[in-house]
Amino acid sequence: MTMKIKRDDTVIVISGDDKGTKGKVIATSPEENKVIVSGVHVVSKHTKARKEGDQAGIIKVEGAIYADKVLLYCDNCKKAFRVWLQDKYHTLDALNTAWNMEFWGHTIYDWDEIVVPNALGEGIGKEKTAFSGISIDYRRFISDSLLSNYKMERDVIRAKQPHALITTNLMGTFKGLDYFKWAKEMDIVSWDNYPAYDTPWSQVAMTHDLMRGLKNEPFMLMEQTPSQQNWQKYNSLKRPGQMRAQSYQTLAHGADTIQFFQLRRSVGGCEKFHGAIIAHAGTENTRVFGETAQLGSELESFGNKTLGSANPSRVGIIFDWDNYWALEYTSGPSEDLKYVEQIHNYYKFFYNKNISVDMIPVDADFSQYNLIAAPVLYMVKDNMAEELESFVANGGTLITSFMSGIVDQSDNVHLGGYPGPLRSMAGVWVEEIDALAPEQKNHARFTDGTTASCGLLCDLMHLEGAEALAVYEDDFYQGMPVVTRNHFGKGNVYYVGSQLDETGLEKVLTQAVADAGVTPVIPEATQLEVTVRESETTRFYYVMNFTGEAQPLPDSLAGKTDLITGETAKCGDSLK
């Protein structure tokens, strides 16, 4: 990743012995992700006399610290933040209520008392805060401010080139910007896909689906490397065929175009070892060049047949940046609770079953779907509960989980018992939340006698109309429900009160999928990834093998034409 902090920037230290100190950046080291800041991390250094007149002895110098220990500090941001807040809250009474500033006696009496979040105020390190209402609003402000800058630049281009498509590189599940807001201002969504050597293919697929979901339209892959990155911890080469399979997965999940970074490797600078189509040897006689040329030839062979086609889905998974920020700002109950990881746990089930998924915002049209998954829906904002209730009452299936329905848009708790505004339709009351350390486990026993391990968090809940599908086996809450289902109107709400192991979650989601009448894109179970895009006249199947071993082609695909080779698929064919 490119370091955002530059020499001469003013920063504030947010952790360590110098926490709260402001200073100017003297030097940066992007390769090591380190900076040297005036007056910070001062260390003693022994010096030798190198020439006549030099003095030997001990001197004090600033040592390097990791860049993630500092934040940019800007008086302009402070002033603009105040204006943004006045536009949002209008009065200090409303702001103090939203931020719950009575806590610790922090009531604000003048707009000029507001400063940007920092370790001298509400900050508890970079990712924790004593007043999350402030920190979440600052996240919103930064996202909106950068979006305003994009719109300004876009409008300058538009004035000169009225018909140009204008976009900017997004970065998947990047935490810093609310991409659903950004997408409304972009002509086409584009993003940079740089999975690590151990990134699960399901997570890559989920991120593609998120990028497609930002506008619910085909997207552009702006960047991928044909061979390797240079800025990750371990920059493994893509194995023969891996770039090709990864590219087809991108198309399968909604891309209409694929670009590479970069055409030719740089002769110098920090990206000189970043992969490129043309290596430092400067020849086309390389494996990477050949594979890239092969991909281009294949794509050219079927032309524009797939362009503009859609990914039909009856399952939606809610992804929300406000929830992302709020959940990871909360102090407790577990530092291991991570938003994207929880979303991926649910997505992975649908991916493995070849069930198409849309990643959707909280204000999506829920009526398009049979099933909506909303794990860790920690922040339930205005009208969200009512929209979900309407979806379920009209026959939809909702799946939610622990740490859902807890707070409002300012991270203030919905009083009256968890899961707050979801309590009625979920048919449960969560009395307490137990946090388990990584080495601790409980177990869930399902009504058919099968068991699954569970951990991270355990909701201690009471039934209020729901039925228990599984109960805890261990600890003082043995026998209390851990997984429930509640009939609400014409639909069902599933509540998963702990982080089940993969087998346990699969069992719950398999039942939910059956309730919702959702089916995979092909009838057979397979280790192949099979995805569908549809045009007005044609249904396109994308079949990819990420297992490392040859896999039999599902019989339901026999008789279909391979757009790459022009051949007809037959029963008994295999995919390497």
Side-chain angles (χ1 to χ4, degrees):
M1 290 290 185
T2 303
M3 182 183 285
K4 304 298 183 185
I5 295 171
K6 303 179 180 65
R7 183 174 177 175
D8 294 329
D9 282 343
T10 299
V11 297
I12 187 167
V13 181
I14 59 172
S15 63
D17 294 339
D18 294 300
K19 179 178 176 179
T21 303
K22 283 190 289 185
K24 185 164 285 191
V25 175
I26 302 170
T28 66
S29 175
E31 294 86 353
E32 297 180 321
N33 193 36
K34 288 185 176 181
V35 294
I36 298 175
V37 181
S38 61
V40 171
H41 188 43
V42 176
V43 296
S44 299
K45 182 178 179 181
H46 294 268
T47 62
K48 294 181 179 180
R50 302 284 183 184
K51 60 182 185 297
E52 188 176 351
D54 284 354
Q55 290 200 351
I58 299 175
I59 61 172
K60 300 286 187 180
V61 297
E62 289 93 349
I65 61 174
Y66 284 103
D68 58 7
K69 290 189 174 183
V70 301
L71 287 177
L72 288 168
Y73 186 88
C74 172
D75 281 332
N76 290 334
C77 292
K78 176 176 66 178
K79 294 172 184 176
F81 185 39
R82 292 169 182 165
V83 172
W84 186 92
L85 291 169
Q86 286 175 302
D87 287 342
K88 178 174 182 176
Y89 292 109
H90 305 298
T91 69
L92 286 172
D93 284 345
L95 179 139
N96 280 310
T97 299
W99 290 357
N100 193 37
M101 297 304 281
E102 289 184 351
F103 179 64
W104 287 352
H106 279 215
T107 301
I108 291 173
Y109 297 99
D110 192 288
W111 294 102
D112 287 343
E113 294 177 12
I114 299 170
V115 297
V116 300
N118 65 73
L120 297 178
E122 79 302 320
I124 310 176
K126 186 174 182 181
E127 292 298 333
K128 297 297 178 184
T129 174
F131 292 88
S132 37
I134 303 175
S135 297
I136 294 166
D137 269 343
Y138 193 68
R139 289 270 192 181
R140 292 166 175 151
F141 159 72
I142 289 296
S143 180
D144 288 353
S145 298
L146 289 169
L147 178 56
S148 294
N149 184 71
Y150 166 80
K151 289 161 63 177
M152 177 185 66
E153 294 179 344
R154 176 202 64 191
D155 293 346
V156 170
I157 297 170
R158 182 82 71 217
K160 299 292 184 182
Q161 297 288 338
H163 305 296
L165 287 176
I166 302 172
T167 187
T168 189
N169 304 40
L170 305 184
M171 294 184 293
T173 57
F174 174 67
K175 191 174 181 179
L177 303 176
D178 184 343
Y179 282 162
F180 278 110
K181 273 191 172 183
W182 278 65
K184 291 180 174 66
E185 305 297 338
M186 299 166 65
D187 294 329
I188 184 171
V189 167
S190 63
W191 83 286
D192 302 345
N193 181 29
Y194 290 111
Y197 76 97
D198 57 351
T199 303
W201 289 105
S202 56
Q203 186 150 356
V204 180
M206 182 185 81
T207 314
H208 286 315
D209 285 345
L210 177 60
M211 295 297 99
R212 185 186 77 245
L214 295 179
K215 289 182 77 71
N216 195 25
E217 294 176 359
F219 62 89
M220 167 190 290
L221 187 67
M222 181 69 80
E223 291 186 19
Q224 68 170 346
T225 176
S227 55
Q228 66 190 141
Q229 286 83 240
N230 75 298
W231 42 265
Q232 294 177 349
K233 191 171 182 179
Y234 305 108
N235 297 287
S236 301
L237 289 171
K238 291 181 179 177
R239 271 39 190 172
Q242 184 178 339
M243 179 276 292
R244 177 174 178 261
Q246 181 178 317
S247 297
Y248 278 107
Q249 185 189 51
T250 305
L251 296 171
H253 287 269
D256 268 357
T257 179
I258 293 173
Q259 276 65 239
F260 289 97
F261 181 83
Q262 50 193 336
L263 175 62
R264 187 185 296 272
R265 264 184 166 168
S266 171
V267 71
C270 65
E271 289 189 323
K272 62 181 175 293
F273 292 124
H274 193 291
I277 296 170
I278 301 173
H280 288 141
T283 175
E284 63 185 47
N285 299 316
T286 63
R287 175 181 68 89
V288 171
F289 190 99
E291 289 191 14
T292 308
Q294 177 192 350
L295 176 65
S297 177
E298 290 175 358
L299 296 179
E300 187 176 23
S301 70
F302 54 88
N304 61 3
K305 293 177 182 177
T306 65
L307 297 185
S309 56
N311 292 72
S313 304
R314 302 304 297 170
V315 174
I317 297 181
I318 290 177
F319 193 101
D320 179 55
W321 266 267
D322 277 348
N323 266 281
Y324 192 171
W325 298 329
L327 185 74
E328 296 191 3
Y329 268 137
T330 189
S331 183
S334 172
E335 69 174 10
D336 293 336
L337 182 60
K338 302 300 180 187
Y339 183 73
V340 175
E341 180 181 313
Q342 291 300 319
I343 302 297
H344 178 242
N345 284 343
Y346 283 73
Y347 179 93
K348 184 165 55 176
F349 164 82
F350 299 103
Y351 174 85
N352 289 337
K353 299 296 184 184
N354 286 316
I355 296 173
S356 182
V357 167
D358 284 346
M359 304 296 290
I360 60 175
V362 294
D363 60 352
D365 178 4
F366 297 151
S367 66
Q368 299 179 63
Y369 303 100
N370 293 23
L371 184 152
I372 290 175
V376 291
L377 192 64
Y378 173 70
M379 178 183 286
V380 176
K381 295 171 277 191
D382 292 345
N383 300 319
M384 192 188 306
E386 291 81 0
E387 291 297 324
L388 288 172
E389 283 187 353
S390 176
F391 164 74
V392 177
N394 286 304
T397 297
L398 173 66
I399 305 162
T400 190
S401 75
F402 56 89
M403 290 301 283
S404 291
I406 308 291
V407 301
D408 64 12
Q409 74 92 29
S410 296
D411 200 50
N412 293 321
V413 171
H414 290 294
L415 299 179
Y418 314 141
L422 308 180
R423 179 174 173 176
S424 175
M425 65 172 154
V428 297
W429 165 44
V430 177
E431 181 181 356
E432 298 180 85
I433 303 170
D434 193 15
L436 305 189
E439 69 274 12
Q440 296 176 317
K441 295 294 178 186
N442 205 307
H443 295 85
R445 177 172 291 277
F446 290 88
T447 53
D448 64 1
T450 59
T451 61
S453 67
C454 58
L456 185 66
L457 298 180
C458 295
D459 281 352
L460 279 60
M461 58 182 165
H462 306 274
L463 300 177
E464 295 184 332
E467 60 176 318
L469 302 181
V471 297
Y472 292 110
E473 280 204 311
D474 309 313
D475 218 316
F476 72 91
Y477 41 94
Q478 177 184 6
M480 294 186 77
V482 58
V483 180
T484 64
R485 178 178 64 175
N486 189 46
H487 301 296
F488 186 84
K490 297 178 181 178
N492 294 292
V493 177
Y494 284 77
Y495 189 95
V496 183
S498 183
Q499 181 170 283
L500 299 171
D501 64 24
E502 191 167 340
T503 301
L505 186 58
E506 179 180 354
K507 187 176 185 70
V508 176
L509 296 181
T510 297
Q511 184 172 346
V513 162
D515 279 353
V518 171
T519 56
V521 298
I522 58 170
E524 303 97 328
T526 176
Q527 293 189 60
L528 298 169
E529 180 183 335
V530 185
T531 306
V532 165
R533 291 181 67 172
E534 288 183 349
S535 68
E536 292 182 358
T537 59
T538 309
R539 187 171 170 90
F540 301 98
Y541 290 85
Y542 291 79
V543 186
M544 293 143 288
N545 184 2
F546 295 117
T547 68
E549 299 176 355
Q551 298 292 332
L553 193 72
D555 288 347
S556 60
L557 298 178
K560 301 189 185 301
T561 302
D562 185 333
L563 284 184
I564 298 173
T565 65
E567 298 176 357
T568 300
K570 303 183 295 296
C571 289
D573 284 352
S574 63
L575 193 66
K576 294 182 179 180

